[in-house]
Amino acid sequence: MTDLITLTGLVATQPRHIVTSEGLTITSFRLASNQRRFDRTQNAWVDGDTNWYTITAFRQLGTHVASSVEKGQRVIVTGRVRIRDWESGEKSGTTIEIDAEAIGHDLSWGRATFTRSVIAAKGEPVAADAAPDAFEQPSGASEAEPEPIAAGAERGEPALAGSGASTPF
């Protein structure tokens, strides 16, 4: 069974990006996740313990993380949990590693701009303007506005687009 977890936290180390001799892209960083709670006696939010995670992203996700995420940024990470005990001389401990499936900036703390990347088949160059828009109308499709289907549309309330309409985002 695979244990999935979603975490929010602060990128505590500059992401480390490597490409193995076999061509596998790996990017990793440490994530600090603080526990916060409201203390009624102090009438204030107080920081609790900090949990530390090692986040590892592979392949295309690793490439995107290396060019998008920096130390000090707040992120959301979803991935598979691996818990490992370790010993080094007289010291021992437990490391919690997350094999990331998705990583993004936490928009509760700021804004981000998304740029879609297009991956070409091996050996095929792709021009930046040659990528098809996923939301283009098929040829011969009507450019007419979709019929509103929401009750109250006649009163100026927002209406839902009918099926088959292109999505603006």
Side-chain angles (χ1 to χ4, degrees):
M1 176 174 18
T2 302
D3 294 330
L4 290 176
I5 189 169
T6 299
L7 303 166
T8 60
L10 192 70
V11 177
T13 60
Q14 189 62 33
R16 182 173 163 248
H17 179 72
I18 64 168
V19 178
T20 66
S21 58
E22 292 83 27
L24 178 64
T25 301
I26 304 171
T27 302
S28 64
F29 60 91
R30 297 280 287 163
L31 181 77
S33 181
N34 279 0
Q35 312 252 330
R36 288 188 55 113
R37 64 179 178 81
F38 189 77
D39 186 341
R40 292 180 192 259
T41 60
Q42 297 180 22
N43 198 30
W45 287 94
V46 294
D47 288 328
D49 295 331
T50 300
N51 292 326
W52 292 92
Y53 304 92
T54 300
I55 310 298
T56 306
F58 297 94
R59 298 173 190 78
Q60 193 68 29
L61 178 59
T63 301
H64 292 313
V65 168
S67 64
S68 302
V69 174
E70 296 177 5
K71 180 179 176 179
Q73 295 178 338
R74 296 198 177 259
V75 293
I76 299 173
V77 177
T78 298
R80 295 177 303 283
V81 179
R82 288 190 298 163
I83 301 173
R84 299 178 190 260
D85 294 323
W86 57 268
E87 290 184 25
S88 176
E90 296 178 11
K91 295 181 179 181
S92 64
T94 302
T95 298
I96 302 173
E97 299 175 354
I98 310 297
D99 290 339
E101 291 185 359
I103 299 175
H105 289 98
D106 186 347
L107 298 181
S108 298
W109 295 90
R111 296 180 299 172
T113 302
F114 177 77
T115 303
R116 179 175 171 237
S117 69
V118 177
I119 302 170
K122 285 190 174 185
E124 289 183 29
V126 174
D129 59 350
D133 184 359
F135 302 109
E136 281 183 14
Q137 292 276 343
S139 60
S142 170
E143 297 277 335
E145 288 293 317
E147 293 288 324
I149 59 172
E154 61 277 355
R155 293 188 301 269
E157 296 175 5
L160 298 175
S163 63
S166 65
T167 305
F169 46 88

